[in-house]
Amino acid sequence: MRLLNLLFPERRTSAVIARERLKIVLAHERASREAPDFLPVLQKELLDVIGRYVEIRSDMIRVNLGRSGDTSLLEINVEIDGARGAPAKNGAVGDGKAAAATKIDPGTPAPWVKPS
Amino acid sequence: MAGKVIVLTSGKGGVGKTTSAAAIAAGLALRGHRTVVIDFDVGLRNLDLIMGCERRVVFDFINVINGDAKLNQALIKDKRNDSLFIFPTSQTRDKDALKRDGVERVLEELKDSFDYIVCDSPAGIEHGALTAMYFADSAIIVTNPEVSSVRDSDRIIGLLASKSRRAEFNLEPVAVHLLLARYSPERVRKGEMLTVEDVKEILSIPLLGVIPESESVLRASNTGTPVVFDEESPAGRAYHDAVARFLGEQRELRFLQPERRSFFRALFGRA
């Protein structure tokens, strides 16, 4: 059968294109549909915690549950543009003691962060 | 008697839900099962026209839910088959009139006197469509071999698995079937249309039937006759096959090859 396919490759008819486009879009949509309910809450809580130490906006964090083979992969991407210690807005650790306690010097950027 | 609730749903509009609901319900009745077909499309009543009983509507689904009429005042008995009843919906613009507990009460009452309760869902994934699918025991997903229809069907299959009563109460999942309508073997042969196998593979649910695109469907709706009453019609026969498969019979798929029109039929015949 494979040899046949090599000899006579499937014509790229519009139906073949339709099938391929559908497979791709549905793979994406099913993955996001099957995402557990806790992801948005997790994202918000992470944002709160990270926001105590560095300035961060809600669009700078992305949480995804991916799948590769048999393993589920929780992927968290946090984008930080200059790790200045943030004065926490909610006042939970507003006096800056938390930053001191975790030994982060607000003056020097963390080594893994590109200076802006 | 404990009737089974079957929902015909699709997400996308215009794929043939009402035609299919009328045909499947009539097909079940022709096999002697007491069947009622309910229009869930509040505000856009059409099942009555397709069933040919539009002039006999007095009370409707919403009247019964609100207690303004008794069930047997609203049910319309089909003039062609004694086992078939039509339950029309209301033309009210208040879409939220379909209250879930009211619908449940009516369905439970219908289950006592019918074998099958066929629910014709509105298009979309709003309140009406969600209410129509919520109480289903089986779902027939009406799909056309076309990208937007297949995508919407996939979405609806996902909703049935998460938002139905069976899903919420951890019961046996809704039995989901694929009904591929408006299939054109000629266009499939030319590579212009998704094949049955393509759609089956993409949606990965069991196939109940393939309804060929057929002129007889428009003729049937023109006259208000479910297409299964037309013995000559390929679409009608394909619906009969689908009903038989739904009831557990094995039937070969038909009408998947382009029809060869004989010289005489081309000259004098109808499709």
Side-chain angles (χ1 to χ4, degrees):
Chain A
M1 196 62 200
R2 262 196 203 140
L3 184 68
L4 268 177
N5 283 346
L6 275 178
L7 287 173
F8 305 101
E10 190 172 30
R11 252 186 333 138
R12 292 274 300 165
T13 59
S14 64
V16 172
I17 296 168
R19 184 180 69 206
E20 286 168 6
R21 290 176 61 219
L22 267 173
K23 281 186 177 170
I24 291 166
V25 72
L26 290 185
H28 269 272
E29 289 179 356
R30 284 174 189 155
S32 57
R33 196 189 304 148
E34 282 155 19
D37 298 343
F38 65 74
L39 283 189
V41 182
L42 176 66
Q43 176 159 344
K44 190 183 166 298
E45 290 186 2
L46 282 170
L47 189 71
D48 285 349
V49 172
I50 297 170
R52 289 179 202 161
Y53 303 100
V54 287
E55 260 181 68
I56 187 167
R57 293 185 315 271
S58 61
D59 60 334
M60 290 157 75
I61 182 164
R62 280 182 306 277
V63 179
N64 280 312
L65 196 67
R67 180 167 283 281
S68 110
D70 289 340
T71 19
S72 292
L73 195 74
L74 182 64
E75 183 190 359
I76 300 173
N77 278 301
V78 186
E79 190 187 314
I80 302 175
D81 41 52
R84 276 181 298 275
K89 285 173 214 131
N90 56 14
V93 282
D95 53 2
K97 274 180 193 161
T102 47
K103 295 197 172 67
I104 290 179
D105 179 3
T108 47
W112 61 84
V113 177
K114 268 194 299 186
S116 51
Chain B
M1 199 183 283
K4 290 266 171 281
V5 179
I6 309 169
V7 64
L8 277 96
T9 183
S10 68
K12 191 175 181 301
V15 297
K17 273 186 303 295
T18 302
T19 300
S20 299
I24 299 273
L28 285 165
L30 282 169
R31 289 168 150 259
H33 300 285
R34 277 179 66 83
T35 305
V36 58
V37 54
I38 312 180
D39 193 346
F40 270 77
D41 201 347
V42 176
L44 293 170
R45 174 162 85 202
N46 272 323
L47 181 68
D48 55 339
L49 266 182
I50 299 299
M51 295 295 295
C53 64
E54 68 277 8
R55 295 172 60 178
R56 296 167 65 205
V57 177
V58 181
F59 295 109
D60 59 50
F61 199 8
I62 305 297
N63 294 143
V64 177
I65 287 175
N66 292 340
D68 300 332
K70 293 243 166 56
L71 196 48
N72 57 15
Q73 292 177 294
L75 288 180
I76 302 171
K77 188 174 185 176
D78 189 86
K79 288 194 165 160
R80 294 151 295 216
N81 188 297
D82 286 345
S83 305
L84 183 58
F85 287 78
I86 300 106
F87 196 179
T89 193
S90 145
Q91 290 281 46
T92 172
R93 289 204 291 185
D94 176 15
K95 302 241 179 215
D96 296 329
L98 275 182
K99 294 190 194 67
R100 194 172 276 183
D101 53 346
V103 172
E104 179 169 28
R105 208 181 57 240
V106 173
L107 288 179
E108 286 303 320
E109 199 178 335
L110 288 170
K111 279 183 189 178
D112 289 338
S113 38
F114 288 95
D115 300 313
Y116 293 103
I117 300 148
V118 177
C119 304
D120 179 23
S121 168
I125 49 172
E126 304 298 321
H127 179 75
L130 293 180
T131 309
M133 72 165 63
Y134 184 77
F135 297 102
D137 298 307
S138 306
I140 296 177
I141 313 292
V142 185
T143 307
N144 292 166
E146 180 272 325
V147 285
S148 52
S149 172
V150 175
R151 181 199 217 171
D152 290 0
S153 294
D154 191 71
R155 185 81 200 280
I156 287 288
I157 295 166
L159 286 173
L160 278 160
S162 60
K163 297 265 189 277
S164 61
R165 187 183 63 94
R166 285 177 170 267
E168 276 181 15
F169 289 89
N170 269 323
L171 304 169
E172 194 184 322
V174 178
V176 179
H177 311 269
L178 171 64
L179 186 67
L180 192 57
R182 309 199 71 162
Y183 194 73
S184 166
E186 183 60 33
R187 305 201 72 183
V188 169
R189 190 184 60 81
K190 290 186 193 156
E192 294 176 354
M193 186 178 266
L194 291 164
T195 68
V196 195
E197 287 75 25
D198 288 341
V199 182
K200 243 176 85 179
E201 185 199 338
I202 291 167
L203 293 178
S204 56
I205 55 172
L207 180 68
L208 190 67
V210 179
I211 312 301
E213 175 84 74
S214 165
E215 291 170 11
S216 53
V217 173
L218 182 58
R219 263 203 313 271
S221 89
N222 284 343
T223 57
T225 317
V227 71
V228 286
F229 288 113
D230 183 350
E231 305 282 335
E232 301 285 308
S233 155
R237 284 182 282 161
Y239 276 118
H240 275 294
D241 287 353
V243 169
R245 290 188 202 104
F246 185 83
L247 297 171
E249 285 177 33
Q250 300 286 328
R251 291 256 175 128
E252 288 282 316
L253 285 172
R254 297 194 273 176
F255 315 111
L256 297 188
Q257 299 307 321
E259 200 183 344
R260 271 199 229 127
R261 302 193 69 176
S262 73
F263 177 70
F264 280 105
R265 283 192 71 163
L267 263 185
F268 307 110
R270 11 180 268 181

